[in-house]
Structure formats: C-alpha cells, structure tokens
Amino acid sequence: ELDRSLTAYRRPRTPAGVEDLVLRLLDDTQRTVLVLGRTVIVDQRFFVKPNQNHKGLLHLEFLRALMERKASANVLYQWEWNADGFKSQDQLIRDGCPAPRRMGSGKDEVKSRSWKNGKETRRSLLPRLVIAKRYGYDQCGILVPNCYFDGYDKWDAAVSAIARSSATQKTAAEKDPRVFWRGTIGKERCADEGGNFARAEAVALS
C-alpha cells in the first residue's frame, strides 16, 4: 500500500522543483510537521485551541518514540488528523484527488467549481500522511499508524502485557468461542454506508 500510494504523487526532479514543493508543504501550517535533526517544529495551531486538536499531541508523541528508536534525516510532511483521511469531500476533490471508486453519494457534497479546480491541481497534488481512508485504498493519502492506538513504545508494552495475560495460557478448547465487538452503527445512506455493513457483520458474530 505504501509503494502504491506514493505513485499518485510527482517527485520533483530539479532543485527548483524541490524548493517549490517545500514552500507548498509549509503553506498549510495546521498540517505541517518539520523535523530538523532531533528538533520537531510545528505551528501552535497543530495541537492547541481553538482547534482543540488533541490528535496533534498524540501524533507528536508517536513521532517522539520513533525518533528515539532511530535517528532520521531532516523531514518535512503534512499530516491529516481527520478520521476520514480528509477534512471534507469538497476539500478532498478541490486539492486534486481523483474521486475514489467508493465515494458514492459523497460526490454530492462537492461544489461544481471544486471539480474544475481539482482537475487543474491534480498534476501538483501534495503528498499528505493520513490515518485512515474512508473510501478505500484508491483515496489519496499515505497511510501511517493511527495515533489513537497510543505511542510506538507504549504499544510494545501493551502487546507484552497481552502475551503475559492468563488468557494466552488457555488452550483454544478452554476459550469462549464467541467474538466480542463494540462500537456504533450509523445511519448513512446505502450508497455511502461508511463501514456500517462490516460493523453489522461484526455484531452478528458477537
């Protein structure tokens, strides 16, 4: 998926092209992360009010754990915190992303001028890290771990705790054969069911 998603973006071939890409990435201060050596630089709107973007803090915690494990070269990227992989359907198309096959009725949320602008900006589509792709893998974005599932180092500790738990010491015959599922099933229209069919299937197994 990583290799496939990267093919959607044009790689600059000249110093001027690199400079232009850097300036464009820096232009969106709410999503931009700059790593220089062991220093991380973000705009205050990345993680404080009025946006109340606590996900930004979780992402920075995840980034800290990665940097402590392995040093990195200087890095600049944009990170999308919304759980759909975009702020709105209109923004997704306006930024130059081709309409995903499973977009369905979400296309109705896109303004006519955004369809036109999207075609013009598609050749210069900006790469952006995302924590989810609501409409499937052909949606624009480069998938990275969802920071909701805790930091890199804390996840290791959780896995170790599970491995030491009493449940792992039981044989398959001793365990309850049922599947437990929790969550919410929404009321989206069938053309844009947003994963509710899979959730309903999970409930049937619970």
Side-chain angles (χ1 to χ4, degrees), residues 72-85:
S72 170
N74 296 340
V75 179
L76 173 66
Y77 63 88
Q78 288 186 1
W79 179 73
E80 176 60 63
W81 62 84
N82 284 288
D84 291 326

Side-chain angles (χ1 to χ4, degrees), residues 80-132:
E80 176 60 63
W81 62 84
N82 284 288
D84 291 326
F86 53 83
K87 183 178 180 181
S88 69
Q89 288 91 342
D90 187 74
Q91 172 256 321
L92 180 71
I93 300 301
R94 186 176 66 247
D95 285 352
C97 182
R101 290 188 299 273
R102 295 180 55 202
M103 193 170 183
S105 62
K107 295 178 181 179
D108 298 339
E109 305 299 323
V110 181
K111 300 174 183 177
S112 57
R113 67 185 181 206
S114 295
W115 288 111
K116 180 180 179 181
N117 293 340
K119 291 180 180 179
E120 296 174 354
T121 58
R122 192 164 299 166
R123 291 177 60 86
S124 56
L125 180 65
L126 281 176
R128 184 173 292 159
L129 305 186
V130 297
I131 59 175

Side-chain angles (χ1 to χ4, degrees), residues 14-30:
T14 64
V18 173
E19 181 180 359
D20 177 68
L21 176 59
V22 167
L23 292 175
R24 292 174 61 223
L25 287 171
L26 288 171
D27 191 52
D28 190 346
T29 55
Q30 291 187 354

